[in-house]
C-alpha cells in the first residue's frame, strides 16, 4: 500500500526509528514512575522519628522503674514515692541546673520541680549527657560507695556522673546537663504515651 514503493533501506530505517521511539517512551515513563512509587514509602526522616510508644504503667510500684525503647534509645519510667518527691527541693545546692534553665533538656510542661507532668511519674531518656552511657537507677536513700550522702537518683558508672531523682545533674560532674525528658503525655491515668506531647494528642 503506502510502503510498496519505498526502497528497502528506507523501510528498514523507518522501522528502526519507530521501535527506538517506543523504547525511549517506555524508559521515560519508567523514570517518571519511580519517584512517584518511592513517595508511597515512609521517608527516612519518618523512619528515624519512630512511632509513639504506649505503655500501661498501672503495675509500676513506688521506687520501681521500667525501661522502654523509643527512637532506638532507652527511656526510663520511674514511680517516685512521697518521700522521694519531698527530697527534691532540698537538692538544689548540690545541682548544676536545679531550675532546669537549660530548656533544651525537657519540654516546657516538664520544666517544674519534679521535671514531669505527674509528680510521681518520672520519664527520662536514659542517655548520660557526658558520653551517652546508660546511668543506673539507684533509688535507695542510703550511703553508696560513690557517695556517702546519697539521696537516691542515677549514677553513671562509666565516668561517675550523678543525677538526682528528677534526672538533674550534680555540680562538677563530667556530664554537663540534666538527663533529657522526651515528649510524652498520659492517654488516661495508667497509659503513658511517649513521643507525643499533650498539645498534640491526649490529656495530660
Amino acid at each position: 500500500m503506502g510502503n510498496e514503493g519505498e526502497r528497502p533501506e528506507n523501510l528498514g530505517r523507518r522501522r528502526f526509528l519507530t521501535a527506538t521511539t517506543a523504547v525511549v517512551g517506555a524508559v521515560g515513563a519508567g523514570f517518571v514512575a519511580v519517584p512517584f512509587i518511592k513517595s508511597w514509602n515512609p521517608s527516612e526522616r519518618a523512619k528515624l522519628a519512630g512511632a509513639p510508644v504506649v505503655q500501661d504503667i498501672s503495675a509500676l510500684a513506688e521506687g520501681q522503674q521500667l525501661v522502654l525503647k523509643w527512637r532506638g534509645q532507652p527511656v526510663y519510667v520511674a514511680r517516685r514515692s512521697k518521700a522521694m518527691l519531698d527530697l527534691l527541693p532540698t537538692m538544689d545546692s548540690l545541682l548544676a541546673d536545679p531550675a532546669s534553665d537549660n530548656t533544651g533538656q525537657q519540654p516546657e510542661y516538664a520544666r517544674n520541680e519534679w521535671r514531669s507532668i505527674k509528680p510521681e511519674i518520672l520519664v527520662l531518656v536514659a542517655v548520660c549527657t557526658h558520653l551517652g552511657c546508660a546511668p543506673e537507677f539507684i533509688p535507695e536513700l542510703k550511703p553508696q560507695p560513690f557517695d556517702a550522702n546519697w539521696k537516691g537518683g542515677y549514677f553513671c558508672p562509666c565516668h561517675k556522673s550523678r543525677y538526682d531523682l528528677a534526672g538533674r545533674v550534680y555540680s562538677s560532674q563530667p556530664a554537663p546537663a540534666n538527663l533529657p525528658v522526651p515528649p510524652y503525655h498520659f492517654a488516661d491515668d495508667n497509659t503513658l504515651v511517649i513521643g507525643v506531647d499533650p498539645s498534640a494528642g491526649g490529656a495530660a
Side-chain angles (χ1 to χ4, degrees):
M1 302 281 290
N3 294 333
E4 290 177 0
E6 286 195 48
R7 296 168 63 91
E9 60 270 25
N10 290 339
L11 186 58
R13 184 179 299 116
R14 174 173 299 196
R15 287 173 178 166
F16 173 76
L17 291 173
T18 301
T20 303
T21 302
V23 170
V24 170
V27 171
F31 279 121
V32 170
V34 168
F36 181 66
I37 292 170
K38 284 183 72 175
S39 71
W40 296 346
N41 298 322
S43 67
E44 289 304 313
R45 183 175 178 182
K47 291 178 184 176
L48 182 63
V53 175
V54 180
Q55 178 67 40
D56 181 350
I57 60 170
S58 58
L60 188 63
E62 288 185 351
Q64 289 187 340
Q65 170 177 279
L66 58 85
V67 182
L68 306 176
K69 194 168 187 179
W70 173 69
R71 289 187 175 180
Q73 296 180 316
V75 173
Y76 291 159
V77 181
R79 187 181 295 273
R80 296 173 291 196
S81 66
K82 184 179 183 304
M84 292 174 175
L85 294 173
D86 289 345
L87 191 64
L88 292 180
T90 72
M91 301 293 295
D92 288 6
S93 63
L94 302 174
L95 306 174
D97 183 16
S100 300
D101 290 327
N102 183 350
T103 56
Q105 295 307 108
Q106 64 281 309
E108 190 60 33
Y109 52 82
R111 191 186 174 201
N112 51 46
E113 61 183 299
W114 316 291
R115 296 188 77 226
S116 61
I117 295 174
K118 292 186 176 185
E120 70 277 17
I121 301 298
L122 177 64
V123 183
L124 297 171
V125 176
V127 176
C128 180
T129 56
H130 179 219
L131 291 177
C133 304
E136 296 177 358
F137 179 49
I138 305 176
E140 295 82 9
L141 281 63
K142 64 180 185 181
Q144 299 291 333
F146 54 85
D147 188 339
N149 297 306
W150 184 243
K151 305 297 184 183
Y154 294 87
F155 173 68
C156 186
C158 300
H159 300 96
K160 316 304 181 187
S161 292
R162 293 170 293 160
Y163 304 84
D164 77 345
L165 284 165
R168 299 176 297 179
V169 69
Y170 278 54
S171 299
S172 304
Q173 302 295 294
N178 297 340
L179 292 174
V181 176
Y184 74 96
H185 72 276
F186 291 91
D188 57 43
D189 286 346
N190 293 311
T191 305
L192 175 67
V193 182
I194 299 170
V196 180
D197 67 29
S199 64

